Amino acid sequence: MSLSLSSNGPPSDTSTTQIGPSTKQQQIRKPADLQITAEHILQEAYEFKDNPIKQTDHRIADLEELHDFQRRKRTEHENALRRNRFSFGEWLRYAQFEIDQHDYPRARSVFERALEVDETNVSVWVRYIQCELKGKNVNHARNLLQRSVRILPRVDKLWYLYVTIEESLANVIAVRQVFENWLQWKPGYEVWLHYIQFEERYGEFDNCRLIFEKFVVVFPKADTWIQWANFEKVHGDDVNVFNVYKLAVESLFAAASKNGANGRLEGKILVSWIQWEVTKKHWKRIEKLYRYARDTLSESDLLEVQSKYAKFQRQFGDKESLEASTLTKRKVKYENELQSNPYSYEIWWDYLNVIEEHPNTAEIDLKQAFDRVIHTVPEPSASKSDWLPWIYIWLRYISWEEVSNKNIDEARTLFRDLLDVIPHKKFTFAKVWIKFAEFETRQGDLITARKILGRSMGVCPNAIIMKFYISLEIKLKEFDRVRMIYNKLIESFSNVVGYWLEYANLETNLGDDPRAKAIYDLAIVEPTLPDESKIILLNQYIQLQLESHRFTEARNLYERLIIITNEDLKTVIKGCLFELKIPSQQQINEYAQEVEHSDDPDPVFQFHISDDAKTRVRQKFESSILKAKENGDNERRVMLLEALRRFERKHGDESTVSKVESRLPKIVTTVQEMENGGKEEYEEFEFPDDILETAKEVESFTAKFASQVEADDDEQDGTEEQETISEGEDHQSNSLKRRFEADFDEEDSENANIAPAKRFMSRFEE
């Protein structure tokens, strides 16, 4: 914030002043030299703040004024307490006033009245006791302390005050008695340590040991035992230290087993013991302690011990113990990582590997590890990819129960539990269903395996599971079941062409052509199948009809294929050549006679391409060429003629080839004048068939016109009028003829502007 200071006087009223451009420029203010910041404003406000009102000094001249002052102050305090008797600050100020007047009886009376209001107020007790001590009334203070700890035995502040006062008076016996009374109320951990430190200050080490014996019972923790051991290290001998550690491990192990912790210790006690043994260089005892720690420590505390053990093994151990130590270290590392991220199933997998490889791992430990991981279910919002590692751990657990433990019932129970956990409405895992079915198949229970696969089809239809079910039933030769499963598969995935083809091929391999035909017919009219899939189906269907010698049906299907492909050129050409695959009726009859006289029940139908088939191919081509001509698709027409020429080169003779080649078009360049006087050149096909057709039309028209003229001449009468009319008609006929010839002359003159024709080169010509 900044203010600009100016000494130009008060601003004038500009509401009625006309300001021109020059005046506006003059009113633009420049920044002031002195910028007043927020800091300056606050500093100025602090300097000029109001000073507190000073109370007037009240000097008491005589005893009467003193009594009047005391009476007035007491009245004020009493009135204030009458308004709010729970204002303990007012009680304390009242008591302090009486103490300042050196009237201890009145001060005690005020404190007692305050305690009558609330005897649990610790601040009143403390102030009461401190006032007695300031007045050197020690016995009064002791009485108050005894009363306070009796009324408030759970308030450590009063006990500490009691102990401090007695110890400051060098009354050691009284301090010990206070501590003993205090311990009866089961105070906190620090109180025991302070009691021990008190006895230690006065050299009462035996008393310290007696207190430690009670201390470790009340607080059976590793820290308590370590405190005792540290005490013995300073004030005892090695035997005492060893006995404390040994007693601590036995006691803590028994307490852990009793509390259901599977005998797992805290690592602190063993680490402290091992560190002390290292200072004494008891190597054999250290080795035993490390091995004991590996078996009894809790998993969260094993890492520190194991790191020290690995270092110890590198110095004094053998290879096997070093490997075991390394595995244990890895195990503890994985456990710490899993505590921070229990859903990291890759770490779980490595953790299980370490447990299996560890030489000292019991079967129950591995089972407990598996139980821990399978109960760590992924989040409901997790995707299928997040569930997949957890599913593989489940399958590993089941495989371990079946193969290693030979516990078939447990493996079956695990399979069922796994299927109950998977959210099948969101996604499923085909591998689980298949593994479960394979498991029951290995146990020889096909009925249960079928029920499992059938349940999967109802709960979550999955193509992989159904295809496995189909393969299983095919191996068992249960083809009726296979058909039922295929029906369900097609019902669930009707838009997949592969399943329709597999179903039809199954029926074909079983020799049931009517069923295969029915499947193809249903697939072709299936609305969910795209046209590309239907094209594949029709090609397979046509092949089936050819193999079954149903040539008429195959021809009809090919027509349908052409319609579905929107008369694709390649498909049309193949449709024309398709007639080569259809034998004549005579060849069919010869094959039937061969079957009757042959020992082979199904001889190969071999036939040569007959002239009748070639004729049908040519007819198909001609029909397609004519249709392209009617549609004005010259490009398609050229391609069909080229395909026909290739056919004639392979199956015709020189005359048929030359006949087709003579029909190939020429590419001519036409020049057309534009409206703006320019010229435009463009190329187009000129088909000889079109020229011949045009010539035939002209010839037909000329012949028709000439016959009409002759008929008119025969009808002339003998009269002059008729002759006149006849002459007029002859004149008109001659005029029309001359006009027709003139038209042809004009056409010839137009053709004179056309460039010479180019020779047409087929794109298939070699």
Side-chain angles (χ1 to χ4, degrees):
M1 182 177 68
S2 63
L3 298 175
S4 37
L5 305 177
S6 176
S7 61
N8 295 329
S12 61
D13 187 4
T14 60
S15 61
T16 60
T17 305
Q18 299 295 328
I19 301 177
S22 59
T23 309
K24 289 182 179 179
Q25 293 178 359
Q26 292 175 2
Q27 285 192 349
I28 297 175
R29 295 183 177 182
K30 296 181 180 179
D33 296 335
L34 176 61
Q35 299 293 325
I36 300 176
T37 62
E39 183 180 359
H40 295 156
I41 295 173
L42 294 175
Q43 184 177 2
E44 184 178 359
Y46 178 77
E47 292 175 354
F48 291 98
K49 69 178 181 178
D50 295 335
N51 294 324
I53 299 175
K54 295 183 178 180
Q55 296 182 355
T56 59
D57 294 336
H58 185 73
R59 298 182 178 275
I60 300 174
D62 52 16
L63 185 61
E64 183 178 357
E65 290 183 4
L66 176 61
H67 291 164
D68 182 64
F69 170 73
Q70 292 174 344
R71 189 184 311 108
R72 188 173 63 255
K73 295 296 291 183
R74 287 174 182 142
T75 303
E76 291 177 1
H77 287 299
E78 291 292 343
N79 291 334
L81 292 173
R82 192 178 298 111
R83 289 191 298 269
N84 185 8
R85 61 194 300 265
F86 291 98
S87 178
F88 291 98
E90 187 66 28
W91 285 107
L92 295 179
R93 286 190 293 273
Y94 191 5
Q96 186 62 41
F97 170 76
E98 298 295 349
I99 293 172
D100 293 340
Q101 304 304 317
H102 301 284
D103 194 345
Y104 285 98
R106 285 184 178 273
R108 293 191 187 99
S109 176
V110 173
F111 279 119
E112 293 295 338
R113 288 170 61 192
L115 292 175
E116 288 179 0
V117 174
D118 184 10
E119 63 179 3
T120 62
N121 194 301
V122 178
S123 60
V124 175
W125 283 106
V126 172
R127 182 68 69 84
Y128 194 2
I129 295 168
Q130 289 175 350
C131 290
E132 294 292 353
L133 291 175
K134 288 181 181 179
K136 299 182 180 180
N137 300 319
V138 179
N139 290 330
H140 281 282
R142 283 198 180 102
N143 294 334
L144 289 174
L145 286 169
Q146 291 178 0
R147 285 175 58 194
S148 64
V149 296
R150 185 172 64 252
I151 295 173
L152 300 172
R154 301 291 183 183
V155 179
D156 292 343
K157 186 174 183 179
L158 298 174
W159 288 103
Y160 278 121
L161 183 60
Y162 199 176
V163 169
T164 304
I165 292 172
E166 294 293 351
E167 190 173 3
S168 63
L169 296 174
N171 193 354
V172 178
I173 298 175
V175 173
R176 187 176 294 116
Q177 186 62 41
V178 171
F179 269 116
E180 291 294 335
N181 295 335
W182 192 0
L183 294 180
Q184 293 179 3
W185 293 99
K186 297 181 180 180
Y189 184 84
E190 294 78 8
V191 176
W192 290 85
L193 293 179
H194 292 153
Y195 189 13
I196 294 170
Q197 291 170 3
F198 163 75
E199 296 289 358
E200 189 176 1
R201 282 198 298 271
Y202 293 96
E204 299 291 341
F205 302 127
D206 292 336
N207 289 343
C208 292
R209 293 186 178 94
L210 294 175
I211 298 170
F212 268 119
E213 291 178 1
K214 300 177 182 179
F215 190 17
V216 295
V217 174
V218 177
F219 292 95
K221 300 190 303 183
D223 293 335
T224 310
W225 289 99
I226 292 173
Q227 291 286 347
W228 192 358
N230 292 335
F231 172 81
E232 295 294 346
K233 292 176 185 177
V234 177
H235 304 290
D237 53 11
D238 294 345
V239 177
N240 288 348
V241 176
F242 177 78
N243 291 333
V244 169
Y245 277 123
K246 183 178 179 181
L247 183 61
V249 171
E250 293 176 355
S251 177
L252 292 175
F253 183 80
S257 302
K258 184 178 180 181
N259 295 332
N262 298 324
R264 297 296 180 182
L265 293 175
E266 296 183 42
K268 296 180 181 179
I269 186 66
L270 285 176
V271 169
S272 178
W273 193 358
I274 291 171
Q275 289 175 348
W276 179 75
E277 294 289 354
V278 169
T279 60
K280 301 301 179 182
K281 298 182 180 181
H282 298 159
W283 308 121
K284 293 183 179 180
R285 191 179 294 174
I286 294 171
E287 178 70 23
K288 292 180 180 180
L289 287 174
Y290 275 125
R291 293 179 181 177
Y292 182 76
R294 187 176 57 194
D295 298 333
T296 58
L297 279 185
S298 60
E299 297 176 352
S300 59
D301 295 333
L302 190 59
L303 182 61
E304 182 181 0
V305 176
Q306 193 58 39
S307 61
K308 297 180 181 296
Y309 182 53
K311 183 178 180 180
F312 173 78
Q313 288 294 336
R314 285 193 293 271
Q315 295 177 351
F316 307 102
D318 53 4
K319 183 178 180 181
E320 294 181 358
S321 59
L322 180 60
E323 291 178 355
S325 174
T326 304
L327 289 174
T328 305
K329 185 177 180 180
R330 288 174 55 196
K331 175 184 173 184
V332 176
K333 175 187 175 183
Y334 291 144
E335 287 173 350
N336 293 333
E337 292 177 356
L338 290 173
Q339 285 182 356
S340 59
N341 184 13
Y343 297 103
S344 179
Y345 299 109
E346 291 79 7
I347 298 178
W348 275 110
W349 190 274
D350 296 335
Y351 177 63
L352 294 172
N353 290 339
V354 170
I355 293 178
E356 286 186 341
E357 294 172 3
H358 203 288
N360 298 323
T361 300
E363 180 181 324
I364 189 172
D365 295 334
L366 185 57
K367 186 176 181 64
Q368 289 175 353
F370 274 122
D371 289 336
R372 284 176 57 196
V373 65
I374 65 174
H375 284 89
T376 310
V377 184
E379 297 293 336
S381 60
S383 61
K384 184 176 181 179
S385 60
D386 296 330
W387 278 67
L388 190 59
W390 186 68
I391 295 296
Y392 276 112
I393 293 176
W394 263 96
L395 295 177
R396 177 177 179 178
Y397 186 15
I398 295 169
S399 177
W400 178 75
E401 288 287 359
E402 180 186 3
V403 177
S404 300
N405 287 358
K406 307 297 181 182
N407 194 344
I408 305 302
D409 294 335
E410 182 65 21
R412 183 179 288 109
T413 303
L414 289 173
F415 265 122
R416 291 172 180 169
D417 294 342
L418 177 56
L419 290 177
D420 292 339
V421 173
I422 297 173
H424 300 291
K425 292 184 179 180
K426 187 177 180 182
F427 52 76
T428 190
F429 294 92
K431 185 178 287 293
V432 177
W433 295 97
I434 293 173
K435 291 289 185 183
F436 195 5
E438 289 177 344
F439 168 79
E440 295 295 350
T441 305
R442 287 194 297 271
Q443 311 310 319
D445 194 350
L446 289 175
I447 296 176
T448 305
R450 287 187 176 117
K451 288 181 179 179
I452 293 167
L453 297 173
R455 178 190 169 194
S456 71
M457 293 166 59
V459 173
C460 49
N462 186 280
I464 299 175
I465 302 174
M466 293 183 188
K467 292 183 73 173
F468 170 78
Y469 197 2
I470 289 169
S471 64
L472 176 64
E473 296 296 349
I474 288 176
K475 292 177 183 178
L476 298 173
K477 309 299 181 183
E478 295 288 344
F479 297 109
D480 290 336
R481 292 182 181 272
V482 173
R483 291 187 178 101
M484 293 173 61
I485 302 168
Y486 262 121
N487 291 337
K488 181 65 176 177
L489 178 62
I490 291 175
E491 180 183 348
S492 303
F493 306 96
S494 58
N495 59 336
V496 182
V497 65
Y499 302 150
W500 290 96
L501 292 175
E502 290 176 5
Y503 194 6
N505 290 334
L506 171 72
E507 299 295 350
T508 303
N509 294 332
L510 294 176
D512 198 341
D513 289 345
R515 283 182 180 271
K517 255 186 90 179
I519 294 168
Y520 279 118
D521 291 335
L522 288 173
I524 292 171
V525 298
E526 174 61 38
T528 59
L529 274 176
D531 290 340
E532 293 79 5
S533 301
K534 291 183 179 180
I535 292 171
I536 299 172
L537 281 167
L538 280 170
N539 285 321
Q540 293 290 332
Y541 195 7
I542 292 168
Q543 188 64 30
L544 173 64
Q545 298 288 28
L546 289 176
E547 292 175 357
S548 303
H549 305 160
R550 290 189 288 269
F551 303 107
T552 304
E553 290 84 347
R555 185 184 288 112
N556 296 333
L557 288 173
Y558 222 107
E559 294 295 335
R560 195 168 183 176
L561 177 61
I562 292 173
I563 294 173
I564 290 179
T565 58
N566 294 324
E567 297 187 359
D568 180 63
L569 182 60
K570 291 184 179 181
T571 308
V572 171
I573 294 173
K574 290 181 180 179
C576 297
L577 299 175
F578 178 72
E579 295 294 334
L580 297 176
K581 299 180 180 180
I582 300 177
S584 62
Q585 187 62 39
Q586 181 181 357
Q587 292 172 335
I588 294 174
N589 296 334
E590 291 176 357
Y591 174 74
Q593 293 178 0
E594 183 181 352
V595 171
E596 291 179 359
H597 298 88
S598 177
D599 296 335
D600 189 358
D602 189 15
V604 180
F605 188 13
Q606 297 179 352
F607 63 91
H608 63 278
I609 300 174
S610 63
D611 293 336
D612 182 44
K614 297 177 183 178
T615 302
R616 293 197 304 271
V617 172
R618 294 187 181 101
Q619 290 175 354
K620 287 276 188 180
F621 270 114
E622 293 298 336
S623 176
S624 301
I625 292 170
L626 179 59
K627 191 171 182 180
K629 178 182 176 182
E630 292 174 352
N631 295 332
D633 192 350
N634 292 334
E635 190 76 22
R636 186 184 185 91
R637 187 177 172 187
V638 171
M639 297 296 295
L640 289 170
L641 286 171
E642 290 178 355
L644 179 58
R645 183 173 66 171
R646 293 179 62 187
F647 166 76
E648 295 294 351
R649 284 179 177 177
K650 187 173 182 180
H651 300 285
D653 51 17
E654 294 181 0
S655 61
T656 56
V657 173
S658 61
K659 183 178 179 181
V660 175
E661 289 179 347
S662 64
R663 297 173 61 187
L664 291 173
K666 299 177 181 179
I667 301 176
V668 296
T669 304
T670 304
V671 180
Q672 185 177 2
E673 294 184 358
M674 306 294 292
E675 293 180 357
N676 56 4
K679 294 183 180 181
E680 180 183 6
E681 293 185 0
Y682 61 92
E683 294 181 348
E684 61 181 5
F685 291 110
E686 186 180 81
F687 290 90
D689 290 347
D690 295 346
I691 298 174
L692 291 176
E693 185 177 354
T694 303
K696 287 180 181 180
E697 291 178 356
V698 171
E699 183 179 355
S700 174
F701 177 76
T702 305
K704 183 177 181 181
F705 182 77
S707 63
Q708 184 68 30
V709 171
E710 291 176 358
D712 292 340
D713 291 340
D714 292 340
E715 292 178 358
Q716 291 179 357
D717 294 334
T719 62
E720 293 180 355
E721 183 177 357
Q722 290 177 346
E723 289 178 357
T724 303
I725 294 172
S726 176
E727 289 176 359
E729 290 176 353
D730 290 340
H731 178 72
Q732 184 178 4
S733 175
N734 292 330
S735 176
L736 290 172
K737 187 174 181 180
R738 286 194 301 274
R739 184 177 178 183
F740 181 76
E741 291 175 353
D743 291 338
F744 271 92
D745 293 339
E746 184 179 356
E747 183 179 356
D748 293 339
S749 63
E750 290 178 357
N751 292 335
N753 296 325
I754 301 176
K758 298 180 181 178
R759 182 177 179 274
F760 178 76
M761 296 295 292
S762 170
R763 66 188 67 188
F764 298 114
E765 189 173 12
E766 297 179 358

